[in-house]
Amino acid sequence: MGQPATRIVSLLPSATEICFALGLDENIVGVTHECDYPASAQLKPQITRSKTTAALTSREIDALVRSQLDETGSIYELDLEMLEALRPDIILTQQLCTVCAVSFDYVAEQAATLTTVPQVINLEPKSLEDVFHSIARVAALVGQPEKAEAMLSGLRTRVDHVREAVALLPKRKAMVLEWIDPPFASGHWIPELVALAGGENTIGFLHAPSREVSWEQILASLPEVLIVAECGFGVERQLQDIDFLLSRVGSDIPEIWVCDGSQYFSRPGPRLVDTLEMISGILHVELREQMLSKFQDTKDIVRIH
């Protein structure tokens, strides 16, 4: 009789994606309310909920998030009774961003009181290579490191393909906005992806947290391409903010694109390689048909002008 399967609770959409991509869907016993990819992840018990609402404006959400972090240290609520009932062996979470997941310290504190006393694993990638390391680490946690080998080989091959495709193309000055009101320039892995895709970041914080900047700074940096990928938002929700964006930048930026920030930019999982391909297609008209054909038009990406 074999060992019982390792029971995993994932408090990160990216970790959930990693587990499913590794074929560990049977190991996952609980996820967050934001774990929506693949679709079957939504069938798992959801043990969190958010105190914010997308019905608010971007400025209102920013203010609410700041106030909740000041007051309680988290914008999420964790169902502790359900967590106990799920009997996890491992809880996957992170310390990187309190806006993206339940506070690591709170999770660790509560995990120590559970009957199973699960391991609390901090997945905190800041770069693309860190993401690949997270994939290997999750596979190793369940004693199946071989599950990561083929996946990582395929992902690295795709990265190399993009690198080769853009090598002889002129670099384009680009910026990725992670929030519109107030404007936040991208951080962590995003500036790296822009560079790998053949772009020159005008403002970006490589392997560091995203940061609030001014519209004056954005315009002064002279981006040829502005990519809007608000953290946690799909294209449809972001389009509500476009009139505000255009009132700040007008036609001073030649190209503006809106991409699904929730699915492709703010989740450090296997689909960051899709994001790399998406950015390369945005930046280079020569690659557009090849690199953007798999994305679902207005659902994943829209060109504003």
Side-chain angles (χ1 to χ4, degrees), residues 215-233:
W215 293 110
E216 291 75 19
Q217 287 175 297
I218 293 171
L219 291 174
S221 72
L222 300 175
E224 300 171 73
V225 181
L226 179 65
I227 299 172
V228 182
E230 291 188 275
C231 183
F233 281 175

Side-chain angles (χ1 to χ4, degrees), residues 20-42:
F20 272 85
L22 289 170
L24 303 176
D25 40 309
E26 294 300 321
N27 297 79
I28 295 186
V29 296
V31 297
T32 77
H33 64 287
E34 294 180 327
C35 294
D36 57 5
Y37 186 90
S40 52
Q42 299 176 73

Side-chain angles (χ1 to χ4, degrees), residues 21 44 60 68 79 110 123 132 139 206 221 272 274-275 287:
K44 299 289 185 178
E60 289 169 339
Q68 288 179 343
D79 188 331
Q110 297 304 319
L123 298 180
F132 292 164
L206 181 66
S221 72
L272 278 189
D274 293 59
T275 309
L287 303 178

Side-chain angles (χ1 to χ4, degrees), residues 114-292:
L114 299 178
T115 302
T116 54
V117 192
Q119 286 183 273
V120 180
I121 303 299
N122 176 32
L123 298 180
E124 194 167 325
K126 297 179 182 178
S127 67
L128 185 60
E129 189 59 38
D130 287 349
V131 174
F132 292 164
H133 176 73
S134 293
I135 292 171
R137 187 180 183 194
V138 170
L141 282 169
V142 296
Q144 301 181 64
E146 69 283 354
K147 284 184 174 289
E149 293 173 4
M151 182 197 305
L152 290 173
S153 176
L155 292 174
R156 293 184 190 281
T157 296
R158 289 167 60 194
V159 172
D160 288 341
H161 176 69
V162 172
R163 187 183 284 113
E164 293 166 5
V166 305
L168 299 180
L169 299 176
K171 293 186 181 299
R172 299 190 70 198
K173 296 178 69 176
M175 178 181 175
V176 178
L177 269 184
E178 289 194 11
W179 201 252
I180 288 180
D181 188 19
F184 272 72
S186 66
H188 299 309
W189 46 84
I190 297 302
E192 178 184 0
L193 297 185
V194 171
L196 283 171
E200 176 187 338
N201 287 280
T202 59
I203 307 178
F205 304 102
L206 181 66
H207 305 160
S210 60
R211 201 174 306 166
E212 184 175 349
V213 295
S214 69
W215 293 110
E216 291 75 19
Q217 287 175 297
I218 293 171
L219 291 174
S221 72
L222 300 175
E224 300 171 73
V225 181
L226 179 65
I227 299 172
V228 182
E230 291 188 275
C231 183
F233 281 175
V235 168
E236 184 177 0
R237 173 58 183 81
Q238 292 179 87
L239 291 177
Q240 297 177 30
D241 296 327
I242 290 304
D243 287 343
F244 174 82
L245 172 72
L246 294 177
S247 74
R248 295 300 186 271
V249 302
S251 57
D252 292 333
I253 299 176
E255 287 185 34
I256 298 178
W257 297 72
V258 176
C259 302
D260 191 325
S262 175
Q263 296 293 324
Y264 293 104
F265 284 73
S266 58
R267 295 188 187 183
R271 287 191 297 165
L272 278 189
V273 178
D274 293 59
T275 309
L276 171 63
E277 293 165 346
M278 179 187 288
I279 296 172
S280 70
I282 288 172
L283 295 182
H284 305 289
V285 66
E286 302 91 336
L287 303 178
R288 201 156 286 170
E289 182 176 354
Q290 174 190 356
M291 295 297 186
L292 299 187

Side-chain angles (χ1 to χ4, degrees), residues 62-126:
D62 179 73
L64 180 60
V65 166
R66 291 174 192 259
S67 67
Q68 288 179 343
L69 290 178
D70 288 342
E71 292 171 8
T72 66
S74 179
I75 64 170
Y76 298 96
E77 294 179 353
L78 183 62
D79 188 331
L80 297 176
E81 289 187 9
M82 181 181 291
L83 186 59
E84 172 66 49
L86 292 174
R87 298 179 292 106
D89 301 304
I90 292 172
I91 299 176
L92 301 176
T93 186
Q94 55 92 38
Q95 287 179 297
L96 189 69
C97 176
T98 52
V99 178
C100 297
V102 183
S103 161
F104 176 87
D105 291 339
Y106 178 72
V107 173
E109 178 184 327
Q110 297 304 319
T113 70
L114 299 178
T115 302
T116 54
V117 192
Q119 286 183 273
V120 180
I121 303 299
N122 176 32
L123 298 180
E124 194 167 325
K126 297 179 182 178

